[in-house]
Amino acid sequence: GCEAIRWKSAPSTVQVPGEQEITTPQTTRSSVREYSTPIQVQIPETGNLTDDVVGNGVEHPAAVVFSRRSSTGWSDVTAAEFLAEVRAVAKGLISAGVEPGDRVALLSRTRYEWTLFDYAIWFVGAATVPIYETSSAEQIEWILSDSGARAVVA
């Protein structure tokens, strides 16, 4: 690691022609100690977040990974069901013209479908542009124009 470094600067006075003299206060500057340790886990050279959805769907298909509200109460969603739904939505996005590298805006409140579409967008190789339900019309307009989103899911 490295040791903390501290130094002080004396007050200084600045005179701008035609202005009142300005004195800056004495300042103290310090840095923090930094420590490092050798890596404890092996980081894969390839892969992404969608690998976990596929892995869970194949290795633990009956595991309940979500509960979602329905008209009759709460219903469980297994890893295999979630994987099938993500793949189906991803196919729909592809058929709608979404391609790898595209940006897809997702306008929603926090809910199961947000997660479903988020993973489906990643499955396609696109990037999610999050827009929250509390965003104003002006914010949404700016986010869409700045992000270059090719599609919007709302």
Side-chain angles (χ1 to χ4, degrees), residues 79-94:
E81 292 168 336
F82 183 67
L83 174 58
E85 287 183 34
V86 168
R87 284 180 170 158
V89 172
K91 288 176 183 179
L93 291 169
I94 292 168

Side-chain angles (χ1 to χ4, degrees), residues 101-105 127-131 137-152:
D102 284 347
R103 294 176 194 94
V104 178
T128 303
V129 176
I131 305 175
E138 293 81 18
Q139 289 171 318
I140 294 170
E141 180 181 15
W142 183 85
I143 291 168
L144 291 174
S145 65
D146 185 63
S147 70
R150 184 163 175 187
V152 178

Side-chain angles (χ1 to χ4, degrees), residues 62-82:
V64 174
V65 292
F66 293 100
S67 289
R68 63 189 284 194
R69 190 181 306 223
S70 66
S71 59
T72 59
W74 289 90
S75 59
D76 292 338
V77 178
T78 66
E81 292 168 336
F82 183 67

Side-chain angles (χ1 to χ4, degrees), residues 13-98:
T13 303
V14 178
Q15 177 68 50
V16 178
E19 297 286 328
Q20 181 179 4
E21 190 174 86
I22 300 171
T23 302
T24 61
Q26 178 178 353
T27 59
T28 302
R29 185 174 177 116
S30 63
S31 62
V32 296
R33 292 180 185 196
E34 181 181 279
Y35 294 94
S36 62
T37 60
I39 191 163
Q40 302 285 324
V41 296
Q42 185 64 29
I43 299 172
E45 292 185 22
T46 62
N48 58 51
L49 290 173
T50 59
D51 294 346
D52 291 336
V53 174
V54 174
N56 282 337
V58 172
E59 296 168 20
H60 311 286
V64 174
V65 292
F66 293 100
S67 289
R68 63 189 284 194
R69 190 181 306 223
S70 66
S71 59
T72 59
W74 289 90
S75 59
D76 292 338
V77 178
T78 66
E81 292 168 336
F82 183 67
L83 174 58
E85 287 183 34
V86 168
R87 284 180 170 158
V89 172
K91 288 176 183 179
L93 291 169
I94 292 168
S95 70
V98 176

Side-chain angles (χ1 to χ4, degrees), residues 118-136:
D118 212 5
Y119 275 103
I121 291 165
W122 294 340
F123 259 62
V124 173
T128 303
V129 176
I131 305 175
Y132 301 101
E133 66 174 329
T134 55
S135 299
S136 68

